[in-house]
mmCIF file with all atom_site columns, all heavy atoms in Angstrom:
data_model
loop_
_atom_site.group_PDB
_atom_site.id
_atom_site.type_symbol
_atom_site.label_atom_id
_atom_site.label_alt_id
_atom_site.label_comp_id
_atom_site.label_asym_id
_atom_site.label_entity_id
_atom_site.label_seq_id
_atom_site.pdbx_PDB_ins_code
_atom_site.Cartn_x
_atom_site.Cartn_y
_atom_site.Cartn_z
_atom_site.occupancy
_atom_site.B_iso_or_equiv
_atom_site.pdbx_formal_charge
_atom_site.auth_seq_id
_atom_site.auth_comp_id
_atom_site.auth_asym_id
_atom_site.auth_atom_id
_atom_site.pdbx_PDB_model_num
ATOM 1   N N   . VAL A 1 66 ? 8.472  -4.626  -0.447  1.00 0.00 ? 66 VAL A N   1
ATOM 2   C CA  . VAL A 1 66 ? 9.382  -3.652  -1.085  1.00 0.00 ? 66 VAL A CA  1
ATOM 3   C C   . VAL A 1 66 ? 10.736 -3.550  -0.361  1.00 0.00 ? 66 VAL A C   1
ATOM 4   O O   . VAL A 1 66 ? 11.745 -3.405  -1.029  1.00 0.00 ? 66 VAL A O   1
ATOM 5   C CB  . VAL A 1 66 ? 8.722  -2.251  -1.120  1.00 0.00 ? 66 VAL A CB  1
ATOM 6   C CG1 . VAL A 1 66 ? 9.673  -1.180  -1.574  1.00 0.00 ? 66 VAL A CG1 1
ATOM 7   C CG2 . VAL A 1 66 ? 7.477  -2.309  -1.998  1.00 0.00 ? 66 VAL A CG2 1
ATOM 8   N N   . PHE A 1 67 ? 10.775 -3.699  0.943   1.00 0.00 ? 67 PHE A N   1
ATOM 9   C CA  . PHE A 1 67 ? 12.017 -3.386  1.664   1.00 0.00 ? 67 PHE A CA  1
ATOM 10  C C   . PHE A 1 67 ? 12.761 -4.582  2.221   1.00 0.00 ? 67 PHE A C   1
ATOM 11  O O   . PHE A 1 67 ? 13.868 -4.413  2.711   1.00 0.00 ? 67 PHE A O   1
ATOM 12  C CB  . PHE A 1 67 ? 11.697 -2.352  2.757   1.00 0.00 ? 67 PHE A CB  1
ATOM 13  C CG  . PHE A 1 67 ? 11.281 -1.030  2.173   1.00 0.00 ? 67 PHE A CG  1
ATOM 14  C CD1 . PHE A 1 67 ? 9.942  -0.656  2.168   1.00 0.00 ? 67 PHE A CD1 1
ATOM 15  C CD2 . PHE A 1 67 ? 12.211 -0.178  1.539   1.00 0.00 ? 67 PHE A CD2 1
ATOM 16  C CE1 . PHE A 1 67 ? 9.539  0.530   1.579   1.00 0.00 ? 67 PHE A CE1 1
ATOM 17  C CE2 . PHE A 1 67 ? 11.810 0.974   0.968   1.00 0.00 ? 67 PHE A CE2 1
ATOM 18  C CZ  . PHE A 1 67 ? 10.474 1.382   1.002   1.00 0.00 ? 67 PHE A CZ  1
ATOM 19  N N   . ASP A 1 68 ? 12.201 -5.767  2.148   1.00 0.00 ? 68 ASP A N   1
ATOM 20  C CA  . ASP A 1 68 ? 12.974 -6.921  2.614   1.00 0.00 ? 68 ASP A CA  1
ATOM 21  C C   . ASP A 1 68 ? 13.970 -7.270  1.539   1.00 0.00 ? 68 ASP A C   1
ATOM 22  O O   . ASP A 1 68 ? 13.716 -7.180  0.350   1.00 0.00 ? 68 ASP A O   1
ATOM 23  C CB  . ASP A 1 68 ? 12.012 -8.122  2.866   1.00 0.00 ? 68 ASP A CB  1
ATOM 24  C CG  . ASP A 1 68 ? 11.238 -7.970  4.150   1.00 0.00 ? 68 ASP A CG  1
ATOM 25  O OD1 . ASP A 1 68 ? 11.412 -7.015  4.887   1.00 0.00 ? 68 ASP A OD1 1
ATOM 26  O OD2 . ASP A 1 68 ? 10.423 -8.920  4.433   1.00 0.00 ? 68 ASP A OD2 1
ATOM 27  N N   . ASP A 1 69 ? 15.140 -7.752  2.026   1.00 0.00 ? 69 ASP A N   1
ATOM 28  C CA  . ASP A 1 69 ? 16.178 -8.298  1.182   1.00 0.00 ? 69 ASP A CA  1
ATOM 29  C C   . ASP A 1 69 ? 16.714 -7.280  0.160   1.00 0.00 ? 69 ASP A C   1
ATOM 30  O O   . ASP A 1 69 ? 16.863 -7.599  -1.045  1.00 0.00 ? 69 ASP A O   1
ATOM 31  C CB  . ASP A 1 69 ? 15.694 -9.531  0.437   1.00 0.00 ? 69 ASP A CB  1
ATOM 32  C CG  . ASP A 1 69 ? 15.262 -10.609 1.401   1.00 0.00 ? 69 ASP A CG  1
ATOM 33  O OD1 . ASP A 1 69 ? 15.950 -10.800 2.440   1.00 0.00 ? 69 ASP A OD1 1
ATOM 34  O OD2 . ASP A 1 69 ? 14.229 -11.262 1.171   1.00 0.00 ? 69 ASP A OD2 1
ATOM 35  N N   . LEU A 1 70 ? 16.962 -6.042  0.557   1.00 0.00 ? 70 LEU A N   1
ATOM 36  C CA  . LEU A 1 70 ? 17.529 -5.044  -0.331  1.00 0.00 ? 70 LEU A CA  1
ATOM 37  C C   . LEU A 1 70 ? 19.055 -5.156  -0.297  1.00 0.00 ? 70 LEU A C   1
ATOM 38  O O   . LEU A 1 70 ? 19.642 -5.563  0.645   1.00 0.00 ? 70 LEU A O   1
ATOM 39  C CB  . LEU A 1 70 ? 17.158 -3.644  0.085   1.00 0.00 ? 70 LEU A CB  1
ATOM 40  C CG  . LEU A 1 70 ? 15.695 -3.242  -0.049  1.00 0.00 ? 70 LEU A CG  1
ATOM 41  C CD1 . LEU A 1 70 ? 15.472 -1.818  0.491   1.00 0.00 ? 70 LEU A CD1 1
ATOM 42  C CD2 . LEU A 1 70 ? 15.241 -3.330  -1.528  1.00 0.00 ? 70 LEU A CD2 1
ATOM 43  N N   . PRO A 1 71 ? 19.708 -4.699  -1.394  1.00 0.00 ? 71 PRO A N   1
ATOM 44  C CA  . PRO A 1 71 ? 21.153 -4.578  -1.362  1.00 0.00 ? 71 PRO A CA  1
ATOM 45  C C   . PRO A 1 71 ? 21.566 -3.528  -0.353  1.00 0.00 ? 71 PRO A C   1
ATOM 46  O O   . PRO A 1 71 ? 20.739 -2.830  0.215   1.00 0.00 ? 71 PRO A O   1
ATOM 47  C CB  . PRO A 1 71 ? 21.543 -4.097  -2.794  1.00 0.00 ? 71 PRO A CB  1
ATOM 48  C CG  . PRO A 1 71 ? 20.303 -4.247  -3.621  1.00 0.00 ? 71 PRO A CG  1
ATOM 49  C CD  . PRO A 1 71 ? 19.102 -4.329  -2.678  1.00 0.00 ? 71 PRO A CD  1
ATOM 50  N N   . SER A 1 72 ? 22.852 -3.401  -0.113  1.00 0.00 ? 72 SER A N   1
ATOM 51  C CA  . SER A 1 72 ? 23.372 -2.417  0.819   1.00 0.00 ? 72 SER A CA  1
ATOM 52  C C   . SER A 1 72 ? 22.900 -1.006  0.354   1.00 0.00 ? 72 SER A C   1
ATOM 53  O O   . SER A 1 72 ? 22.671 -0.795  -0.823  1.00 0.00 ? 72 SER A O   1
ATOM 54  C CB  . SER A 1 72 ? 24.902 -2.411  0.794   1.00 0.00 ? 72 SER A CB  1
ATOM 55  O OG  . SER A 1 72 ? 25.355 -3.663  1.287   1.00 0.00 ? 72 SER A OG  1
ATOM 56  N N   . PRO A 1 73 ? 22.779 -0.100  1.353   1.00 0.00 ? 73 PRO A N   1
ATOM 57  C CA  . PRO A 1 73 ? 22.267 1.246   0.980   1.00 0.00 ? 73 PRO A CA  1
ATOM 58  C C   . PRO A 1 73 ? 23.069 1.902   -0.140  1.00 0.00 ? 73 PRO A C   1
ATOM 59  O O   . PRO A 1 73 ? 24.280 1.822   -0.171  1.00 0.00 ? 73 PRO A O   1
ATOM 60  C CB  . PRO A 1 73 ? 22.427 2.036   2.321   1.00 0.00 ? 73 PRO A CB  1
ATOM 61  C CG  . PRO A 1 73 ? 22.257 1.013   3.337   1.00 0.00 ? 73 PRO A CG  1
ATOM 62  C CD  . PRO A 1 73 ? 22.962 -0.224  2.780   1.00 0.00 ? 73 PRO A CD  1
ATOM 63  N N   . GLY A 1 74 ? 22.336 2.485   -1.094  1.00 0.00 ? 74 GLY A N   1
ATOM 64  C CA  . GLY A 1 74 ? 22.978 3.137   -2.222  1.00 0.00 ? 74 GLY A CA  1
ATOM 65  C C   . GLY A 1 74 ? 22.103 3.049   -3.440  1.00 0.00 ? 74 GLY A C   1
ATOM 66  O O   . GLY A 1 74 ? 20.909 2.649   -3.363  1.00 0.00 ? 74 GLY A O   1
ATOM 67  N N   . PRO A 1 75 ? 22.630 3.358   -4.609  1.00 0.00 ? 75 PRO A N   1
ATOM 68  C CA  . PRO A 1 75 ? 21.844 3.392   -5.847  1.00 0.00 ? 75 PRO A CA  1
ATOM 69  C C   . PRO A 1 75 ? 21.198 2.043   -6.164  1.00 0.00 ? 75 PRO A C   1
ATOM 70  O O   . PRO A 1 75 ? 20.048 2.045   -6.625  1.00 0.00 ? 75 PRO A O   1
ATOM 71  C CB  . PRO A 1 75 ? 22.836 3.775   -6.938  1.00 0.00 ? 75 PRO A CB  1
ATOM 72  C CG  . PRO A 1 75 ? 23.985 4.418   -6.174  1.00 0.00 ? 75 PRO A CG  1
ATOM 73  C CD  . PRO A 1 75 ? 23.988 3.807   -4.834  1.00 0.00 ? 75 PRO A CD  1
ATOM 74  N N   . ALA A 1 76 ? 21.883 0.964   -5.961  1.00 0.00 ? 76 ALA A N   1
ATOM 75  C CA  . ALA A 1 76 ? 21.305 -0.349  -6.306  1.00 0.00 ? 76 ALA A CA  1
ATOM 76  C C   . ALA A 1 76 ? 20.070 -0.658  -5.433  1.00 0.00 ? 76 ALA A C   1
ATOM 77  O O   . ALA A 1 76 ? 19.121 -1.240  -5.899  1.00 0.00 ? 76 ALA A O   1
ATOM 78  C CB  . ALA A 1 76 ? 22.332 -1.475  -6.126  1.00 0.00 ? 76 ALA A CB  1
ATOM 79  N N   . ALA A 1 77 ? 20.148 -0.214  -4.184  1.00 0.00 ? 77 ALA A N   1
ATOM 80  C CA  . ALA A 1 77 ? 19.004 -0.439  -3.284  1.00 0.00 ? 77 ALA A CA  1
ATOM 81  C C   . ALA A 1 77 ? 17.776 0.364   -3.731  1.00 0.00 ? 77 ALA A C   1
ATOM 82  O O   . ALA A 1 77 ? 16.667 -0.149  -3.725  1.00 0.00 ? 77 ALA A O   1
ATOM 83  C CB  . ALA A 1 77 ? 19.380 -0.092  -1.829  1.00 0.00 ? 77 ALA A CB  1
ATOM 84  N N   . LEU A 1 78 ? 17.970 1.614   -4.112  1.00 0.00 ? 78 LEU A N   1
ATOM 85  C CA  . LEU A 1 78 ? 16.879 2.413   -4.596  1.00 0.00 ? 78 LEU A CA  1
ATOM 86  C C   . LEU A 1 78 ? 16.299 1.816   -5.902  1.00 0.00 ? 78 LEU A C   1
ATOM 87  O O   . LEU A 1 78 ? 15.064 1.735   -6.034  1.00 0.00 ? 78 LEU A O   1
ATOM 88  C CB  . LEU A 1 78 ? 17.274 3.874   -4.857  1.00 0.00 ? 78 LEU A CB  1
ATOM 89  C CG  . LEU A 1 78 ? 16.132 4.801   -5.325  1.00 0.00 ? 78 LEU A CG  1
ATOM 90  C CD1 . LEU A 1 78 ? 14.994 4.774   -4.364  1.00 0.00 ? 78 LEU A CD1 1
ATOM 91  C CD2 . LEU A 1 78 ? 16.713 6.215   -5.538  1.00 0.00 ? 78 LEU A CD2 1
ATOM 92  N N   . GLU A 1 79 ? 17.151 1.364   -6.800  1.00 0.00 ? 79 GLU A N   1
ATOM 93  C CA  . GLU A 1 79 ? 16.631 0.715   -8.017  1.00 0.00 ? 79 GLU A CA  1
ATOM 94  C C   . GLU A 1 79 ? 15.829 -0.519  -7.643  1.00 0.00 ? 79 GLU A C   1
ATOM 95  O O   . GLU A 1 79 ? 14.789 -0.776  -8.267  1.00 0.00 ? 79 GLU A O   1
ATOM 96  C CB  . GLU A 1 79 ? 17.780 0.392   -8.936  1.00 0.00 ? 79 GLU A CB  1
ATOM 97  C CG  . GLU A 1 79 ? 18.333 1.649   -9.619  1.00 0.00 ? 79 GLU A CG  1
ATOM 98  C CD  . GLU A 1 79 ? 19.293 1.338   -10.751 1.00 0.00 ? 79 GLU A CD  1
ATOM 99  O OE1 . GLU A 1 79 ? 19.363 0.208   -11.236 1.00 0.00 ? 79 GLU A OE1 1
ATOM 100 O OE2 . GLU A 1 79 ? 19.947 2.286   -11.216 1.00 0.00 ? 79 GLU A OE2 1
ATOM 101 N N   . SER A 1 80 ? 16.318 -1.287  -6.651  1.00 0.00 ? 80 SER A N   1
ATOM 102 C CA  . SER A 1 80 ? 15.587 -2.480  -6.226  1.00 0.00 ? 80 SER A CA  1
ATOM 103 C C   . SER A 1 80 ? 14.205 -2.099  -5.676  1.00 0.00 ? 80 SER A C   1
ATOM 104 O O   . SER A 1 80 ? 13.219 -2.759  -5.942  1.00 0.00 ? 80 SER A O   1
ATOM 105 C CB  . SER A 1 80 ? 16.398 -3.254  -5.196  1.00 0.00 ? 80 SER A CB  1
ATOM 106 O OG  . SER A 1 80 ? 15.751 -4.429  -4.817  1.00 0.00 ? 80 SER A OG  1
#
Side-chain angles (χ1 to χ4, degrees):
V66 173
F67 295 103
D68 285 358
D69 302 319
L70 291 177
S72 298
L78 182 56
E79 288 191 13
S80 182

